């Protein structure tokens, strides 16, 4: 295989992380997230949030972050509302239900939740025979590559506060969202408009680690118990601390995400020029072009990618993902291949 | 502080791991444990077990391993039997109960379980009003530094098989157990005598990662679902794979563990020579000497360690832990300090 | 209020039950379901099932039955498939999710599940990132009054067996289903075609109690532990035993259910004659006529019923339920009222 | 068998309950605990508590009450403290752990908890690696027949309030406790000194039903969701309502409990006169005399009882339980038998 566009976690991490891990390897550090590198990364996140009062906790992965947060802040009879395409609903093997909670889903064409779609789920009759929604879960960027605008997030935030709902943002690809074309949100906005979010490193230049940010001060007490109880409190927290300490130095993470976005959008432009349409209007590093099956068959001999969904008239949508590490040459070579094949298979 | 003997996870990892992570950083690898390094480490573990049919899964930490395993193999009404000192009972913030299961505990002076201590917990009357034991949980080395002999493990294994109990060994410090003075067990023995165990890297030269080994073939089906559902399936599994790939090359892990043991036992010998006694007869890298409180106060000005328990006549037991990275000079300097202080405070 | 058609649990129970409870009140009986009346009712159920090997357990209510059964037979990563209208999905306050399991729902116009609707939920890609379906939950009669034909149940049963799915039937209103016009199923058919079902007494002439029937012999071991663990094993099981002992004597339960059906269908015929249509094609004791809002307002001054859903052009669907105890005079008086009001409000 | 002293739930219920059930059988009543009889019983309980602000909910059984209450008021990382002999620890098949919570146990000779025994369990080190106690569970009368004095309950209550612990009393046999010799507590005291308790009917003259009383106002919101979610909200709540409506009229329940106590204490006096000792100093309706095994063998040919524990020198402790329905003639006949056998077997 020449190159894989299957996902954005095929490579390791930005070299700075490995270099500093190596340099500091033998320093003795406190365990369980009390090390100097975690403190450094917490400080960096607080600064980006422009809110010194937020609480920051680093855990290994996104599903772990989701199940810790939702398991912590839902009473047993409370539910979480999510888009049908939401990662917690589709790709976490029932992790949230395993904490005892129902996910109530909303069908949405672009993977984004809006107040009008949520309203029918609250004040359901009759009381105490149904679950009671308490958290609204959104992803930014979404699972299909779209992003929230500031206006959209403000409206959703306002709606949640009026309806006693907590707003939780899954930021596995937050860095991509915040560097996408059309984005007008900052991390400070997100800290102001949500109650909880997590900022992902794994898919944005790191090797491992997601930073859970408790922006709502009333949620912060005793949170470390939840982390420990789910097996997510790591003895050598220095490893997680180092990811964010390095990725947030001089905005490195956002540069890397910008590159990932640029590579995917470069693909999108050329594919559009070739006349292909797309399943979703992605602004970030994962795009879903609809290609003829014959073309897909040829491409898959040289390139790795995921066939997402059968479409009408002998076409399918495929998913192409780029990462911080995707070389432009690989993208261009791939596009050349598509161009040639499109010509040949006409 | 001159040096910390507080735990065996104060330092990073063996340099080989960081070096190879760096060298292979940009190779594209499959995600979720299907990378080349994980495959390499799985092969190495199978070979050490001398059982090609075992199933191996790498996860981030020990509590995570415990809650995945116990949550997977217990029916809702089944319990796990553990020593009162067992990590799952004392130091996991209710992680096992959070999966819905009772831990039935046995008081044991040396942290080890024996058939006669377990027998009263099975066949309890009346049926279906009590939980039903299904798994026996042991640690090797134990939480207080002791180890199982082959004879002891054989007896326990036999008892479990006769009583339809699964035997699960927590091996957070398995490498220390297998290289301790007095040990006569091999990893192959353990794979033959237990149904499930995990082999820890975090405390034995790695940065992160524990290898769950399903020795009992009947338990292997669909295990990856459990890992995913608990949030433990990592996108960049290469990180975990690399730990074991490097640590198991040329028995490095066991050399490192042997060094940790040697450093602790060097301390123990000298402390004994100075006339001090010990709370437990540890053969591994954590020792529990009983020292005068005045001496402890002085020592704690220069050294990090944990005061474990108040003892009679103005003494306390402290816990001293050494690691793969503990330099002998630090140990000797510490012992000199104790010797001098013992003289001075007489 | 003249009379309530709000539900089928407004009255007590058939007098035979109270009479025999009174007569046998001071006999000493074994506890926890080992009393003579429970044994009598178990024998009666086995005979109706024409399967002596089924296992029968009596519990207090339907939600309890559902959470015990689904909590017992699903591994942590397995899901249950249900119609969107299914009781477990809509009206149990997240009871099933509280046992740790996802309900995967299927939209269906008549509340019934068919193989073609279930198929897309099995063999989802990618493995171990999604839950794995294991049980198919159906209700007979359904939550909207419809019933399964023998042909439909056979097809579903066959499909489940081919796909390693257990079939579970919620029979809160099983007696109504089996006595409805158009029904061609017997309890023996149900015992042959499902793996588990429950037969309800609460809504079919009893005061309390549902009988869980484990038709699949491989599911029977240790089931009483699950009942006890969910708090459903009652000291004075004689109370539950008596319900079924009396209701199954001389087919009393089915006579009572037949009466409930007849009363609702009598209503349906007259309402149809008056020109009203229905939300669902119910054959049982709950009907959903669509009436003008003005008529509903007037009716609700004298009668109890539930306004189910707003409909177009100033109409709404209401739910009318009859029970074993509904007198025909009340039905006729109600129909007269509707007839008069319909005339007057024209 | 002549008579069974095995438990206090061998008979049905006080005839008043069956009579009024019969008289009111066909009245239409609201479902789910909104019926007239439940309202009547709630009013009666509030009056006994002398606290109109308490919240009362009726459920089917004691294990159900315990798992609903503990599941409702513990955060996932919080534990409940109980005596080792506590019903939740010994006889509920892991029901509490199934809600995700650890039971921390205290060994206590008389089944009662005192502040000094609880203190070591709070403020455990290190934080967030262990569970955090939040509820103290006690039973009155205890599982071994003893009762709390007002002084003891005041001290425990005070200790709990000082340490941010909720105090929960299991009152399966509350009526026996409050009518025992030596008792100086009233239900009003209990409502003032605990946060939550339940008052049992099943073992005190009823057929089914326990009344959960939320004395602490801050715990009352949304409690009905928890009841529904655990499958404990019954359609025909009238059945539960009737138990308490009748049993609390003119203090009937306490008269019945007084009779049960008197019968057991009559046994105890005569057994003591015969020179036998007792395992516990019970003041209520269950006693644990220590008898020669030969005597036990003979007795068990005519009487039902439970052999509790092997004791030294060929003796065993047996458990004898009397109920509201135990006739004095049966007690006297039994005592005559013991007297004769004691003579004969000398």
């Amino acid at each position: 295989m020449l190159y894989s566009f299957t996902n954005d976690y095929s490579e390791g991490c930005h070299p700075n992380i490995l270099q500093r891990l190596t340099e500091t390897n033998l320093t003795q550090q406190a365990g369980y997230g009390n090390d100097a590198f975690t403190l450094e990364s917490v400080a960096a996140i607080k600064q980006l949030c422009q809110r010194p009062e937020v609480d920051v906790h680093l855990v290994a992965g996104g599903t772990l972050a989701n199940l810790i947060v939702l398991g912590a802040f839902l009473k047993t009879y409370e539910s979480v509302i999510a888009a049908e395409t939401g990662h917690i609903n589709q790709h976490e093997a029932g992790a949230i239900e395993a904490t005892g909670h129902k996910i109530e889903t909303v069908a949405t064409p672009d993977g984004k939740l809006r107040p009008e779609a949520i309203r029918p789920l609250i004040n359901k009759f009759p009381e105490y025979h149904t679950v009671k929604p308490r958290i609204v879960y959104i992803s930014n960027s979404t699972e299909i590559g779209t992003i929230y605008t500031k206006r959209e997030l403000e409206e959703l935030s306002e709606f949640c506060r009026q309806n006693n709902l907590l707003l939780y943002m899954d930021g596995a690809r937050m860095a991509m969202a915040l560097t996408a074309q059309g984005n007008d949100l900052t991390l400070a906005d997100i800290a102001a408009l949500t109650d909880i979010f997590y900022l992902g490193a794994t898919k944005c230049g790191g090797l491992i680690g997601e930073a859970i940010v408790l922006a709502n001060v009333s949620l912060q007490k005793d949170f470390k118990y939840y982390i420990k109880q789910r097996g997510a409190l790591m003895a050598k927290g220095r490893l997680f601390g180092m990811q964010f300490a390095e990725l947030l130095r001089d905005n490195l993470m956002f540069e890397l995400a910008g590159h990932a976005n640029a590579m995917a959008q470069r693909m999108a432009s050329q594919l559009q020029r070739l006349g292909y349409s797309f399943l979703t209007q992605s602004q970030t590093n994962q795009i879903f072009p609809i290609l003829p099956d014959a073309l897909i068959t040829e491409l898959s001999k040289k390139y790795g990618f995921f066939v997402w969904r059968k479409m009408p008239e002998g076409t399918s949508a495929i998913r192409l993902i780029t990462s911080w590490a995707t070389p432009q040459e690989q993208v261009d070579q791939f596009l050349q291949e598509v161009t040639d094949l499109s010509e040949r298979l006409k």
Side-chain angles (χ1 to χ4, degrees), chain A:
Chain A
M1 200 175 59
L2 285 178
Y3 198 75
S4 168
F5 296 105
T6 310
N7 59 52
D8 39 14
Y9 41 83
S10 296
E11 297 91 2
C13 62
H14 192 275
N16 287 2
I17 296 169
L18 291 173
Q19 192 182 328
R20 192 153 167 228
L21 274 176
T22 305
E23 288 166 11
T24 62
N25 189 39
L26 290 181
T27 343
Q28 286 195 310
Q29 291 287 338
Y32 300 115
N34 297 315
D35 61 280
F37 312 112
T38 296
L39 298 182
E40 186 179 332
S41 67
V42 168
I45 290 170
K46 288 186 176 205
Q47 194 169 23
L48 279 169
C49 290
Q50 294 172 27
R51 302 205 138 207
E53 76 275 21
V54 303
D55 200 12
V56 181
H57 300 271
L58 310 182
V59 300
T63 297
L64 206 46
N66 288 336
L67 73 88
I68 291 169
V69 164
L70 296 174
F73 300 127
L74 294 175
K75 292 203 178 75
T76 68
Y77 61 90
E78 292 176 338
S79 68
V80 54
I81 295 174
E84 215 166 75
T85 46
H87 200 264
I88 55 168
N89 187 46
Q90 296 274 7
H91 292 100
E92 302 193 352
I96 305 312
E97 289 88 355
T99 71
H101 301 289
K102 192 181 194 72
I103 303 171
E104 300 192 86
T105 58
V106 172
T108 159
D110 58 2
K112 297 198 275 183
L113 285 183
R114 291 176 184 80
E116 58 267 35
I118 299 173
R119 194 170 283 116
L121 291 179
I122 57 179
N123 302 321
K124 285 186 302 283
F125 183 84
E127 243 187 5
Y128 64 70
H129 285 260
T130 63
V131 288
K132 193 172 177 178
R134 171 67 174 144
I135 300 186
V136 170
Y137 165 95
I138 56 175
S139 305
N140 196 30
S141 62
T142 69
E143 293 76 7
I144 54 177
T146 54
I147 63 169
Y148 281 83
T149 64
K150 187 167 181 179
R151 179 70 185 277
E152 288 171 333
L153 192 61
E154 282 170 346
E155 285 173 1
L156 193 55
S157 178
E158 173 72 7
F159 174 82
C160 286
R161 279 164 204 193
Q162 280 169 358
N163 289 283
N164 193 31
L165 295 165
L166 297 173
L167 183 57
Y168 171 45
M169 184 183 279
D170 180 326
R173 292 187 179 93
M174 181 84 87
M176 282 75 151
L178 297 188
T179 54
Q181 228 185 356
N183 170 67
D184 56 358
L185 280 168
T186 64
L187 210 63
D189 292 331
I190 287 164
L193 294 170
T194 69
D195 295 282
I196 316 142
F197 67 91
Y198 83 80
L199 174 66
T202 308
K203 291 165 180 167
C204 308
L207 203 46
I208 190 169
E210 318 288 304
I212 299 172
V213 180
L214 304 173
N216 181 330
V217 172
S218 75
L219 303 175
Q220 297 175 355
K221 186 166 178 291
D222 279 348
F223 191 70
K224 229 165 171 175
Y225 279 97
Y226 295 111
I227 295 178
K228 174 65 194 173
Q229 189 176 52
R230 301 300 183 184
L233 196 66
M234 293 293 103
K236 296 187 178 170
R238 67 200 294 155
L239 170 62
F240 297 171
M242 196 65 83
Q243 313 292 315
F244 289 93
E246 285 305 307
L247 288 173
L248 296 180
R249 185 203 302 282
D250 302 331
N251 281 318
L252 176 59
M253 174 187 270
F254 300 100
E255 263 176 49
L256 299 177
H259 173 80
N261 287 342
M263 290 303 99
Q265 295 304 317
R266 186 177 183 91
M267 282 177 162
S269 301
Q270 174 64 6
L271 292 169
Q272 194 161 23
R273 232 173 283 129
L274 291 170
Y276 297 120
S277 63
F278 295 83
L279 191 68
T280 75
Q281 297 315 308
S282 166
Q283 294 126 299
T284 54
N285 70 319
Q286 41 184 343
I287 61 173
F288 299 78
I290 299 168
L291 304 178
D293 291 338
L295 174 55
I296 292 172
T297 304
E298 287 305 307
L299 270 179
S300 64
K301 290 176 184 164
K302 298 190 180 167
Y303 291 96
F305 52 82
F306 193 77
V307 180
W308 189 257
R309 195 191 296 171
K310 273 277 163 219
M311 301 294 288
E313 299 174 26
T315 65
S316 297
I318 66 168
R319 189 184 69 178
L320 297 170
I321 309 195
T322 52
S323 85
W324 68 274
T326 307
Q328 188 175 318
E329 306 82 72
Q330 292 288 3
V331 168
D332 289 348
Q333 214 170 313
F334 172 82
L335 290 172
Q336 190 58 53
E337 189 79 30
V338 178
T339 310
D340 293 354
L341 283 167
S342 298
E343 185 67 22
R344 178 141 57 86
L345 295 170
K346 238 181 220 161

